Amino acid sequence: MNFIFRGNEILVSSQGGQALIPAKPALDIPPAQWHALFSGEDCQDFACHVAAQTPAPDGFAFRPLRGVLSQLDELASIANRAFQVSEWARSHRYCGVCGSAMERVKHELCFRCTSCGFSAYPRISPAMMVLIRDKNRILLASHSTYATARYTALAGFVEAGENLEEAIHREVMEEVGLRVDNIQYFGSQSWPFPHSLMVAYTAEYAGGELCIQADEINDARWFGPEDALPDLPHTDSIAGRLIRANLPGQAACRRPVNLPDA
């Protein structure tokens, strides 16, 4: 398969209302711009990034990858990998140590500097996600970064020198001013925006009053069994599955709720 990206968009068929990845390149792309998704000479899956001004050919369209992933079913994981590999290749054409040209190593996913020998591998950025529970209620928040953000669990990137549990304690205190304990692993998901690994947990409320970090959180509130739930993340994301596995009342999610614009 051949995956073609333009920024955070992916080239798909525009016919039939279904997102289909082109089996052959639909654009005149030089061979050097294609990057194998797996090591080895027999790899037949490739990806590339094209310039921002590149138009889609007839019968195709560039669509946001985030929206397309949920339509790809079993192809979603390889599209995820394709985006991360092509973004890695796009951003590692030159050595970050000496500035010389980098070249792809054939036997593994690695770029090596032609001058100083520095090796660069695809970057993975771990991020924690935590759903806080307090008896029969859960804490959901709307993040300030996104204009139309759904209410979801708290999340944040792991900083240098931290483990995941330390990141949870820090992010929860910074974003909502609460203390937590009894941290339990829930699951993980590769998230290609641009190269994250989301690691999800539940935690129990251990004290403190809600104090929202305005530059990160637009709103945060507790939801119990009798409360109507806001619009939740879809189940193709780890956030959607985490929240639905811990709902205080299943019936509540079908009732509308008036919340401030996020």
Side-chain angles (χ1 to χ4, degrees):
M1 300 193 69
N2 297 280
F3 297 86
I4 302 171
F5 299 99
R6 186 182 67 181
N8 287 331
E9 298 176 318
I10 184 172
L11 185 70
V12 296
S13 171
S14 61
Q15 301 175 357
Q18 186 177 5
L20 298 175
I21 307 300
K24 295 181 178 180
L27 296 168
D28 185 17
I29 299 172
Q33 286 187 225
W34 291 99
H35 296 277
L37 304 189
F38 303 92
S39 57
E41 299 289 344
D42 58 347
C43 179
Q44 299 182 29
D45 299 308
F46 296 84
C48 73
H49 262 79
V50 296
Q53 66 274 17
T54 303
D58 292 342
F60 295 89
F62 282 105
R63 294 174 53 191
L65 176 62
R66 189 182 294 249
V68 170
L69 279 178
S70 62
Q71 304 175 34
L72 294 181
D73 298 323
E74 68 275 6
L75 290 179
S77 62
I78 192 170
N80 180 331
R81 182 184 181 94
F83 181 79
Q84 294 191 55
V85 168
S86 61
E87 175 63 19
W88 164 65
R90 185 191 69 81
S91 59
H92 285 81
R93 292 177 295 172
Y94 300 98
C95 178
V97 176
C98 71
S100 300
M102 302 282 273
E103 64 179 15
R104 177 76 179 266
V105 176
K106 293 183 178 180
H107 68 278
E108 61 179 339
L109 286 180
C110 174
F111 274 106
R112 187 159 294 140
C113 178
T114 56
S115 179
C116 71
F118 174 73
S119 296
Y121 296 87
R123 175 181 174 185
I124 305 297
S125 300
M128 70 84 205
M129 172 176 292
V130 60
L131 184 68
I132 304 172
R133 302 182 300 197
D134 178 28
K135 298 186 175 80
N136 61 348
R137 59 180 187 166
I138 59 175
L139 183 74
L140 299 177
S142 172
H143 293 266
S144 301
T145 308
Y146 307 105
T148 58
R150 293 180 169 90
Y151 279 67
T152 186
L154 299 177
F157 285 104
V158 179
E159 294 186 353
E162 285 185 326
N163 61 36
L164 286 157
E165 292 77 12
E166 289 169 339
I168 289 172
H169 287 292
R170 175 185 53 78
E171 286 283 352
V172 170
M173 178 57 66
E174 288 177 355
E175 293 190 348
V176 293
L178 301 181
R179 300 186 303 277
V180 295
D181 58 16
N182 192 25
I183 297 172
Q184 299 289 324
Y185 174 76
F186 176 82
S188 64
Q189 178 182 35
S190 177
W191 194 243
F193 302 105
H195 38 62
S196 299
L197 174 65
M198 301 298 300
V199 187
Y201 294 85
T202 60
E204 300 297 328
Y205 168 73
E209 298 293 331
L210 276 177
C211 181
I212 295 172
Q213 183 182 12
D215 61 335
E216 292 285 344
I217 302 297
N218 182 60
D219 184 40
R221 61 181 70 186
W222 294 101
F223 291 89
E226 302 303 319
D227 297 321
L229 291 176
D231 192 18
L232 299 176
H234 297 303
T235 54
D236 61 332
S237 72
I238 191 72
R241 297 193 293 274
L242 173 66
I243 295 170
R244 285 171 176 80
N246 292 276
L247 285 177
Q250 295 288 344
C253 66
R254 295 194 293 269
R255 301 202 303 270
V257 59
N258 294 321
L259 291 171
D261 292 336

